[in-house]
Amino acid sequence: IYRHNILKIISSFLKTIPFILIIFIINIFLDNIMDAILISIKLLLVIEATLIYSSNQRINEISTSITYLFYPLKIFKVNLDEINVTISLALNLIPIIKRELSDLKYACISKGIKINVKNMKYILSRYFYNMIVRVNSINEALISKGIG
């Protein structure tokens, strides 16, 4: 049995409330209130279940289990090792991307740059350039090791 940090779960819940409320309001206008409530509850449960699952599993376990789901593709001679490496890389890049965005936000604040639509083009172009350089370096490293 896993023990979860209750404060972390509550913090995650509080961070997702605005998103769930927006979805709720949109669904009230598009459909009826009962469907909006059901969709919001389902969304909340999926977000919290994902948090609990991801806090208990390591990235290589998640990528191995997803690769196992693709096992029937071996009939079509699909290389499952490449799928496993791709999923692992994608899951490992999520915290890096989150940290890069946070660093970019603090850099803009420290330089006195206002984050608005007008400046977003310049800010995000530099961010995406750095991400492409990082992905290319990872790709070159994998190819040099004979994985890619």
Side-chain angles (χ1 to χ4, degrees):
I1 295 175
Y2 295 104
R3 295 182 186 221
H4 301 286
N5 187 352
I6 298 297
L7 293 176
K8 185 175 180 181
I9 293 173
I10 292 172
S11 171
S12 168
F13 175 74
L14 292 175
K15 288 178 183 176
T16 58
I17 286 293
F19 174 71
I20 293 172
L21 286 175
I22 291 170
I23 298 299
F24 176 73
I25 292 168
I26 290 171
N27 280 308
I28 286 176
F29 289 121
L30 296 177
D31 208 0
N32 59 24
I33 193 161
M34 286 305 294
D35 286 339
I37 291 171
L38 289 173
I39 289 172
S40 299
I41 290 172
K42 288 177 185 177
L43 185 62
L44 177 66
L45 290 174
V46 166
I47 290 171
E48 293 302 318
T50 304
L51 172 72
I52 291 170
Y53 179 75
S54 65
S55 66
N56 290 329
Q57 302 294 321
R58 292 190 301 263
I59 290 175
N60 61 353
E61 292 174 350
I62 295 171
S63 64
T64 303
S65 63
I66 292 173
T67 305
Y68 183 71
L69 291 173
F70 289 126
Y71 192 76
L73 293 177
K74 274 197 146 194
I75 297 170
F76 302 108
K77 305 212 185 281
V78 174
N79 190 353
L80 296 181
D81 292 332
E82 288 181 8
I83 292 174
N84 192 3
V85 170
T86 304
I87 293 170
S88 294
L89 282 174
L91 292 174
N92 280 316
L93 279 177
I94 292 172
I96 294 170
I97 291 171
K98 184 178 177 184
R99 187 177 60 240
E100 288 275 336
L101 283 174
S102 176
D103 292 346
L104 182 64
K105 176 184 159 189
Y106 291 127
C108 289
I109 291 171
S110 68
K111 291 179 181 179
I113 299 172
K114 292 183 179 180
I115 301 175
N116 56 25
V117 176
K118 188 176 183 182
N119 294 335
M120 199 59 66
K121 175 182 173 185
Y122 303 110
I123 294 169
L124 289 180
S125 65
R126 186 66 185 166
Y127 170 74
F128 286 124
Y129 174 77
N130 288 338
M131 280 290 119
I132 290 171
V133 168
R134 184 175 297 222
V135 168
N136 281 336
S137 66
I138 291 171
N139 186 30
E140 290 173 4
L142 289 174
I143 289 172
S144 68
K145 292 181 181 181
I147 294 174

